[in-house]
Amino acid sequence: MSYDPPPPSYPYRPPDSSSSYDTYPWLPQQPPEPPEPAGRRPQRHAALGHHSDLRVLRSAYRWQRRVATLTALGYFVLFLILSAFAPSFMTRTVTDGLPTGLLLALVQVPVTWLAIALYEQTARRRVDPLADRIRKQVELDARREGTR
């Protein structure tokens, strides 16, 4: 067996070459970025797209949706499982002529109201203050950019 050295990497760039080797000739040349104006102050905070408040807002909104959805759907799934696998429990009477299954079906309406109330409460307590703070920051940034 013989060992052949690897071929040289291409494209080969001569030591004193011009910038024509930097890009492909068929692609348009990118103009250099203009320098920052001398009188402009640097931003003290990150741009909105990289803002950590947006991540916090997304996670708070995600938590809010999960709590409300799991409250309503969790009870409904429990009702369906009991209906399918515990028919003797669901047909047992609670009071004169009112079976347990019908009572649990009627309780579905208040549980749905509870899910809506939880959704609104978490929106007021966690999501809305974050959204208001981000909205105010964006308005402030827009006013600052408008005066420049």
Side-chain angles (χ1 to χ4, degrees):
M1 287 187 152
S2 67
Y3 174 75
D4 293 331
S9 62
Y10 293 101
Y12 174 73
R13 186 174 179 174
D16 58 341
S17 66
S18 66
S19 64
S20 63
Y21 286 98
D22 290 340
T23 61
Y24 296 103
W26 55 86
L27 293 178
Q29 293 287 332
Q30 296 290 333
E33 292 189 23
E36 286 287 321
R40 193 171 198 185
R41 291 182 295 174
Q43 286 186 332
R44 292 192 322 234
H45 52 82
L48 186 61
H50 305 289
H51 210 276
S52 65
D53 282 344
L54 289 177
R55 286 190 295 274
V56 172
L57 179 65
R58 278 193 304 263
S59 66
Y61 183 62
R62 192 177 308 125
W63 184 84
Q64 174 193 20
R65 287 180 303 183
R66 285 180 187 153
V67 167
T69 303
L70 290 177
T71 302
L73 288 181
Y75 182 81
F76 184 68
V77 168
L78 175 70
F79 175 75
L80 290 179
I81 290 172
L82 287 174
S83 297
F85 296 110
S88 62
F89 173 73
M90 297 296 274
T91 56
R92 192 177 309 154
T93 58
V94 177
T95 62
D96 288 335
L98 183 64
T100 307
L102 182 59
L103 180 65
L104 291 177
L106 292 175
V107 170
Q108 180 68 40
V109 173
V111 167
T112 304
W113 289 342
L114 176 68
I116 293 170
L118 279 173
Y119 189 85
E120 289 178 355
Q121 179 190 13
T122 57
R124 277 189 228 108
R125 190 179 63 208
R126 294 180 182 227
V127 179
D128 289 347
L130 289 171
D132 290 339
R133 184 172 48 184
I134 291 173
R135 187 177 302 115
K136 288 177 185 175
Q137 185 66 41
V138 168
E139 290 172 358
L140 183 64
D141 289 345
R143 274 190 253 132
R144 284 181 184 161
E145 290 296 321
T147 59
R148 291 183 183 179

